[in-house]
């Protein structure tokens, strides 16, 4: 009996791994359309699979602004190591991919390094978004408010997992703001 359970558990684990590997090899489907005017503005990073930049981020915010030439100016802002940590900022420009319904961008991280940006899930009211990459190395769950409900967070984890990500790599971003901080903090910088 114990041997059967062990074999069954091993078989289930192997099938799960094969399903994960099959998903990981397929492109992530973007949302059908992103209304850029509604999408622009402030997004609080609720959770992400971090890059080397921002691993110990607090109060992380990403702000988007549409440039006159059609590019998107992105400003990433966070406190490093704690709520009173050093403020870190990074700006980048993105080109919106033609024919993508504005849901796929090419981010110019440095002049010679480009990164894929896919709006893979977007709430109908533009209150929450999941940004993903086909490589499934990084992902971001962002919201228009610094906090989301436990149910919304669980649903996001489920969506990210269904995209083929290893959700054990997801890291929550501590977000604590006073109303005066929200009103007085300038997140965006010029990309012009």
């Amino acid at each position: 009996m114990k041997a059967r359970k062990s074999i069954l558990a091993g078989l289930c684990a192997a099938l799960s791994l094969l399903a994960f590997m099959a998903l990981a090899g397929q492109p992530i489907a973007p949302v059908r359309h992103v209304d850029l005017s509604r999408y622009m503005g402030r997004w609080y990073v609720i959770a992400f699979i971090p890059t080397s930049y921002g691993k110990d981020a607090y109060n992380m915010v990403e702000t988007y602004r549409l440039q006159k030439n059609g590019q998107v100016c992105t400003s990433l802002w966070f406190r490093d190591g704690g709520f009173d940590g050093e403020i870190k900022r990074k700006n980048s420009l993105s080109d919106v991919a033609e024919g993508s319904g504005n849901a796929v961008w090419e981010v110019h991280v440095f002049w010679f390094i480009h990164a894929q940006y896919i709006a893979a899930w977007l709430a109908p009211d533009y209150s929450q978004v999941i940004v993903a990459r086909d490589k499934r190395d990084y992902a971001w769950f962002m919201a228009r408010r610094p906090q989301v409900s436990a149910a919304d967070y669980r649903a996001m984890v489920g969506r990210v997992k269904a995209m083929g990500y290893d959700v054990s790599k997801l890291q929550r971003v501590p977000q604590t703001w006073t109303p005066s901080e929200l009103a007085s903090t300038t997140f965006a910088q010029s990309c012009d």
Side-chain angles (χ1 to χ4, degrees), residues 72-108:
V72 177
C73 172
T74 301
S75 297
L76 178 67
W77 185 104
F78 65 90
R79 290 198 175 267
D80 193 27
F83 290 115
D84 59 351
E86 178 186 359
I87 293 174
K88 301 277 188 167
R89 297 175 196 253
K90 183 175 235 162
N91 293 330
S92 61
L93 284 170
S94 300
D95 293 312
V96 178
E98 283 188 42
S100 71
N102 302 324
V104 179
W105 304 354
E106 182 179 274
V107 181
H108 304 275

Side-chain angles (χ1 to χ4, degrees), residues 113-131:
I113 298 176
H114 302 150
Q116 183 185 48
Y117 179 111
I118 301 170
W121 177 84
L122 179 62
D125 64 356
Y126 285 63
S127 63
Q128 297 178 12
V129 66
I130 295 172
V131 176

Side-chain angles (χ1 to χ4, degrees), residues 18-30:
L18 286 173
F20 175 79
M21 289 171 53
L23 274 176
Q26 296 181 7
I28 291 177

Side-chain angles (χ1 to χ4, degrees), residues 41-44 59-64 74-78 87-91 175 177 181-190:
R42 184 184 302 177
W43 290 92
Y44 297 91
N59 284 358
M60 184 179 268
V61 175
E62 194 151 273
T63 305
Y64 303 117
T74 301
S75 297
L76 178 67
W77 185 104
F78 65 90
I87 293 174
K88 301 277 188 167
R89 297 175 196 253
K90 183 175 235 162
N91 293 330
Q175 296 277 0
W177 299 88
E181 286 174 321
L182 288 173
S184 66
T185 304
T186 303
F187 302 106
Q189 291 182 319
S190 176

